[in-house]
Amino acid sequence: VVPIVLVGANVNGKPNYMAVGFVNGVNIKPAIVYVSLNKKHHTPKGIIENSTFSINVPSADYVIETDYCGLVSGKSVDKSNIFTTFYGELETAPMIEEFPITCECRYTGQKVEFAMDTVYFGEVVQVYVNEEMLGKNRTIDILRANPVYYSGIENRYRSLGEDLGAGWSIGRQYTPQQDT
């Protein structure tokens, strides 16, 4: 199960968005993320062209549009009008106004080539959060964001479920088994 995001990049001067499941953080300070994209996709051209990209976290309300952005290529379909695009301080990383969380990234110039995909690394310059997603102490309440996840085993999109406990904390309840 992986989170699904839309990676945004300006390609030939137009915003383009593609659905991506291979995305994650790799460093905290500075905040570095990666996106892994198939070499045949349209979006890498924009990342290289502008040295910027965005990571847009859709809510479950936009699962149809998100999947559509993964089904069609920006080479043949203009996806710039599906969402309301805005730009931040980098000025060339298109972000989606309707999504609860977006990250504006500067391409570090680092990439790792594999047979089919290329992994691009970006420094998160700014994170934009819809005010309605903030809970206690003005922290992000991920349940309010209602992000989309993809289960490859089932070929299904899912949203978040049950709260299982606090991260980096619940494990303190573990009691090792004694040998008998």
Side-chain angles (χ1 to χ4, degrees):
V1 178
V2 296
I4 291 294
V5 301
L6 289 186
V7 172
N10 278 344
V11 185
N12 301 324
K14 276 192 161 177
N16 184 67
Y17 300 103
M18 70 172 288
V20 175
F22 294 136
V23 58
N24 211 330
V26 295
N27 196 61
I28 294 176
K29 285 188 180 182
I32 304 292
V33 295
Y34 78 83
V35 294
S36 181
L37 309 176
N38 186 287
K39 293 175 190 282
K40 295 178 182 176
H41 287 302
H42 189 58
T43 301
K45 181 180 178 186
I47 292 173
I48 300 299
E49 228 175 68
N50 300 292
S51 293
T52 60
F53 63 93
S54 64
I55 295 173
N56 302 271
V57 179
S59 69
D61 296 337
Y62 288 93
V63 69
I64 292 170
E65 294 87 344
T66 298
D67 191 55
Y68 177 77
C69 286
L71 291 172
V72 299
S73 171
K75 290 177 186 173
S76 55
V77 175
D78 180 358
K79 296 186 261 184
S80 65
N81 293 317
I82 298 172
F83 307 103
T84 307
T85 297
F86 75 97
Y87 293 90
E89 65 183 73
L90 296 177
E91 299 178 353
T92 56
M95 292 173 281
I96 300 172
E97 192 172 300
E98 291 86 351
F99 285 13
I101 304 166
T102 61
C103 300
E104 183 178 22
C105 304
R106 180 182 295 113
Y107 173 48
T108 66
Q110 297 169 296
K111 63 183 179 178
V112 177
E113 299 278 348
F114 292 97
M116 200 162 94
D117 297 333
T118 302
V119 177
Y120 298 90
F121 294 89
E123 180 178 359
V124 177
V125 172
Q126 195 65 254
V127 176
Y128 300 87
V129 178
N130 180 320
E131 291 280 325
E132 295 171 8
M133 301 307 121
L134 300 179
K136 294 179 184 174
N137 302 325
R138 298 197 45 82
T139 57
I140 296 172
D141 180 341
I142 200 68
L143 291 177
R144 288 183 188 177
N146 197 16
V148 177
Y149 290 85
Y150 176 71
S151 173
I153 294 169
E154 305 171 284
N155 190 30
R156 305 294 302 172
Y157 290 111
R158 302 275 183 193
S159 57
L160 283 176
E162 179 183 359
D163 182 354
L164 300 176
W168 304 105
S169 175
I170 193 170
R172 290 186 177 93
Q173 298 172 21
Y174 177 74
T175 306
Q177 297 294 324
Q178 301 296 321
D179 289 335
T180 53

